[in-house]
Amino acid sequence: MKTKIHLFTGFLGTGKTTAIRSLIEQKPAQEKWLVIVNEFGEIGIDGAVLSDNGIPVSEISGGCLCCSVGDELSDTVRQMLAEHQPQRIIIEASGLAHAAGVIDELQTPDLAEKLDISATFALVDPRQFVDDDYALNPLYRDQVSACDVLLASKTDLCAPDVLAQFHERAAKLFPPKARVTEVPNAHVPVAWLDTPIVEKSRYRIKRQPENTLGYQSQGYTFAADKQFDVEKMSLFFNELPKLADGLVRAKGVFQVEGSWVWLNWTDGAWGATPVAWRRDNRFELIAKSFDVDAIEQKLQDAML
């Protein structure tokens, strides 16, 4: 029997990791799952966050799955299939990945014999979805076009007219989607993984060249025995937009006064979630420009 494989895509900060966490919490006990996480930067944060539940997680960092690290994706899938014989593989693509290119990488003849490319998901912020600047961007269009299931996250931040526009535009998409729905708190029911695929030429979307949209990333790691001050970390995350021009994403796993937490900045706000990660403290941000050394010094200053 072929292994079902699901791609989760979506622009930076739309809730892909949270959605996959919600699915892992619902995983049937008898099913064997694997997770592959792609990060734009060199430091993997999402893999650390998703490693709480005993499911094998493989990280591919430092680029887009469909471009600079495309071969690594194929090799990782082959290795995980051989070692674990899973029933499902969930791939979290970088927010800057072209979805069609990722699917192309999974369509090599030897992988096609082993994989059933099942429902593909895209998470979108409705405020971006109805913005023509996003709609005309090739990367954003590719992520929306390639998916079978279109999920609207961050709906609590959207005005009613924006949600109405989202549903109106989504209903007109071609190829049509198998499911279009809102997902409060990025919660995805596990049954949606088996959403029937609407037949369409979704594997024939022209592969786009690598496009980082002018963003740069930087990752930082600190030893596991280091601890951070809760007030100083709060101040650091509050000040991030002033420290990084064009900040779109910042996230990290830290030991804060004895508790390990995932600190996640997106869309002008941040929050904390407990995690089981204990290997090290790590942080990554994505922005147009920033002073690498100044950010590191701020983190050093926040240590106990």
Side-chain angles (χ1 to χ4, degrees), residues 42-304:
E42 297 291 344
I43 301 296
I45 304 296
D46 295 343
V49 172
L50 292 170
S51 62
D52 287 5
N53 294 275
I55 295 174
V57 177
S58 181
E59 294 179 310
I60 300 176
S61 300
C64 163
L65 280 177
C66 56
C67 304
S68 61
V69 295
D71 291 341
E72 188 174 352
L73 169 64
S74 302
D75 292 342
T76 298
V77 171
R78 292 187 186 96
Q79 181 180 350
M80 296 184 85
L81 286 171
E83 292 180 0
H84 301 283
Q85 296 84 48
Q87 291 159 289
R88 290 189 198 270
I89 297 177
I90 295 177
I91 297 178
E92 178 187 345
S94 159
L96 297 174
H98 287 280
V102 178
I103 293 172
D104 287 343
E105 291 296 334
L106 301 173
Q107 288 292 94
T108 58
D110 65 315
L111 287 179
E113 294 178 356
K114 303 172 182 177
L115 297 177
D116 173 11
I117 299 182
S118 302
T120 295
F121 296 75
L123 280 92
V124 297
D125 182 331
R127 296 167 298 175
Q128 296 173 346
F129 188 83
V130 302
D131 184 333
D132 290 337
D133 288 340
Y134 281 88
L136 295 175
N137 181 281
L139 184 151
Y140 196 86
R141 286 206 329 258
D142 179 67
Q143 293 177 347
V144 171
S145 296
C147 77
D148 302 296
V149 180
L150 184 66
L151 304 175
S153 64
K154 298 191 171 182
T155 53
D156 57 316
L157 301 177
C158 299
D161 63 315
V162 171
L163 290 175
Q165 289 181 58
F166 162 76
H167 286 288
E168 181 180 354
R169 290 195 180 195
K172 297 176 181 178
L173 289 172
F174 183 84
K177 304 304 170 193
R179 183 187 298 272
V180 176
T181 190
E182 301 173 18
V183 282
N185 302 315
H187 176 80
V188 179
V190 70
W192 290 2
L193 289 176
D194 292 321
T195 299
I197 294 173
V198 176
E199 288 298 325
K200 58 185 184 299
S201 57
R202 66 188 180 116
Y203 304 129
R204 301 186 194 131
I205 301 172
K206 182 180 178 181
R207 179 187 292 206
Q208 302 288 342
E210 185 159 14
N211 178 5
T212 64
L213 304 181
Y215 294 115
Q216 58 179 305
S217 72
Q218 179 65 42
Y220 306 82
T221 59
F222 305 93
D225 61 354
K226 300 296 183 182
Q227 294 200 42
F228 291 80
D229 181 272
V230 63
E231 293 185 4
K232 291 180 179 179
M233 287 303 290
S234 297
L235 180 61
F236 172 71
F237 270 80
N238 286 333
E239 289 184 338
L240 270 174
K242 299 177 182 178
L243 299 172
D245 181 50
L247 179 68
V248 291
R249 195 70 200 278
K251 51 190 173 182
V253 178
F254 296 95
Q255 183 178 192
V256 180
E257 299 190 9
S259 298
W260 286 86
V261 291
W262 172 32
L263 300 180
N264 187 21
W265 187 103
T266 182
D267 199 37
W270 65 277
T273 305
V275 290
W277 182 260
R278 298 292 188 273
R279 193 175 303 164
D280 55 23
N281 294 275
R282 50 180 57 199
F283 174 73
E284 182 177 59
L285 76 162
I286 302 175
K288 294 290 187 179
S289 64
F290 48 87
D291 186 325
V292 174
D293 295 332
I295 297 290
E296 182 171 7
Q297 188 59 56
K298 288 283 187 180
L299 289 168
Q300 294 280 2
D301 292 344
M303 288 184 187
L304 288 174

